[in-house]
Amino acid sequence: MNVLPAQDMADAVGKYFATAAQAREWNVETTMDWAAADAGRLTEGQLSAVEFITIIEDHLPGYFSLYTGNFPVDDSVEPEQYEHNRELYHFTVRWAAEEDTHARALTRYQAASGMRDEAGVRKALIEPGQGRFELPFDHPVQYFAYALVQEKATQIYYQQLRAVAGDPVLADVLTRLSRDEARHFTFMADVVAAYLRVQGDAVLDPIREVIADFRMPLAGTIRGYWRWALKIADTARYDHTDAYEHLIKVMNRAVDTPSERLGELVGFVDACRTIA
């Protein structure tokens, strides 16, 4: 794989950890007032949205294995790539811990608010959790470009769902999740920008492929995904193309003198945006 120099990855990882150190700490056990959680304050659409995002967040084992499988830290790769992958792994395990906390928080909310009992939540997560998550990418930049869009789109949706949430406890959970997703987006943006600086136009076609075929995680795994996605969009806007303007900003700021081909890609991404 045509990965970044290890130092560039280390710089992005170090920046992420420096930012994370300044973030507001929270944990599932003590931060939220679970005793006050009340699903009776939510609309049918909001209840459905909570179920949906719990499934998405709970698929963390699949997401984690995707990155560890494609960026292995063993003797299956050459030393230069191992060095890069080991730096990335520092981020990956931290990111996984934070995303797993999201899954636990949403599961706890469902049980505490009366949506389902704890055993019922676990059982509802089995079938989608066992589905395989795959991305058909050939270039390493594609994994970060995909995650850039996915993390920003998720952050935006959490903010919009929080704005209409009838239960203050759910709103609190969504606030904390959206802050984490914002930091995850920033890391992915830093890595994509580094690829553009280091490899230039060579990464433009791979990024274009990501956008041309983009689907949010589990779109092909969850039964009735598209009907469900449309339903939750009636509650709060759910459209991954809302993240495309942020990808455009990353591309425009990455290089001092944009090439004609980069301009064409920016135009393509902009044309893929959904008009509200």
Side-chain angles (χ1 to χ4, degrees):
M1 297 179 81
N2 192 12
V3 297
L4 284 174
Q7 187 59 55
D8 288 282
M9 179 56 71
D11 289 344
V13 173
K15 181 179 176 182
Y16 178 80
F17 275 95
T19 303
Q22 304 302 317
R24 300 181 187 180
E25 293 187 8
W26 66 282
N27 65 75
V28 175
E29 284 65 38
T30 62
T31 300
M32 268 67 71
D33 183 8
W34 296 119
D38 183 5
R41 305 180 70 168
L42 304 182
T43 65
E44 180 181 350
Q46 292 167 13
L47 290 168
S48 185
V50 172
E51 292 181 24
F52 184 85
I53 63 176
T54 303
I55 290 173
I56 300 298
E57 293 282 4
D58 193 68
H59 205 75
L60 187 278
Y63 308 142
F64 183 71
S65 65
L66 179 78
Y67 279 86
T68 55
N70 284 281
F71 299 96
V73 282
D74 56 32
D75 62 1
S76 67
V77 294
E78 295 298 320
E80 182 178 353
Q81 185 171 337
Y82 175 90
E83 185 182 4
H84 164 279
N85 293 358
R86 186 65 183 90
E87 291 302 321
L88 173 60
Y89 191 80
H90 292 306
F91 166 79
T92 305
V93 293
R94 174 62 179 262
W95 164 82
E98 292 172 352
E99 295 289 3
D100 199 52
T101 298
H102 296 181
R104 293 181 59 240
L106 290 166
T107 298
R108 180 73 175 268
Y109 177 80
Q110 287 199 45
S113 68
M115 287 179 61
R116 282 192 177 102
D117 61 29
E118 188 174 346
V121 180
R122 286 199 300 266
K123 291 186 183 302
L125 293 172
I126 293 173
E127 181 181 347
Q130 290 183 318
R132 187 170 180 81
F133 178 66
E134 297 179 310
L135 293 173
F137 296 151
D138 298 318
H139 194 291
V141 73
Q142 293 176 301
Y143 292 94
F144 303 102
Y146 177 91
L148 180 157
V149 173
Q150 176 263 316
E151 296 281 4
K152 177 54 72 172
T154 301
Q155 177 201 347
I156 293 170
Y157 183 69
Y158 287 168
Q159 291 172 330
Q160 292 172 340
L161 181 59
R162 177 191 62 196
V164 300
D167 184 356
V169 178
L170 176 59
D172 188 17
V173 172
L174 293 169
T175 295
R176 297 173 193 283
L177 268 57
S178 65
R179 287 173 181 163
D180 287 351
E181 303 295 10
R183 288 187 291 102
H184 300 165
F185 159 79
T186 300
F187 172 79
M188 300 301 174
D190 287 344
V191 175
V192 170
Y195 270 102
L196 286 164
R197 289 194 302 271
V198 173
Q199 299 187 13
D201 285 1
V203 301
L204 299 184
D205 285 343
I207 293 174
R208 182 188 180 100
E209 290 173 6
V210 171
I211 300 305
D213 298 320
F214 192 93
R215 294 193 300 171
M216 286 293 280
L218 309 189
T221 302
I222 297 176
R223 187 179 303 172
Y225 175 92
W226 295 110
R227 289 192 301 275
W228 203 348
L230 289 172
K231 182 178 181 179
I232 69 169
D234 288 337
T235 299
R237 180 174 168 84
Y238 181 73
D239 187 340
H240 70 265
T241 70
D242 289 345
Y244 286 2
E245 66 175 290
H246 300 276
L247 172 59
I248 289 171
K249 290 177 181 177
V250 170
M251 293 190 295
N252 282 332
R253 294 171 180 171
V255 293
D256 294 331
T257 307
S259 68
E260 182 178 343
R261 288 189 61 205
L262 178 59
E264 291 172 353
L265 177 59
V266 167
F268 172 76
V269 175
D270 189 52
C272 291
R273 294 168 60 190
T274 300
I275 305 300

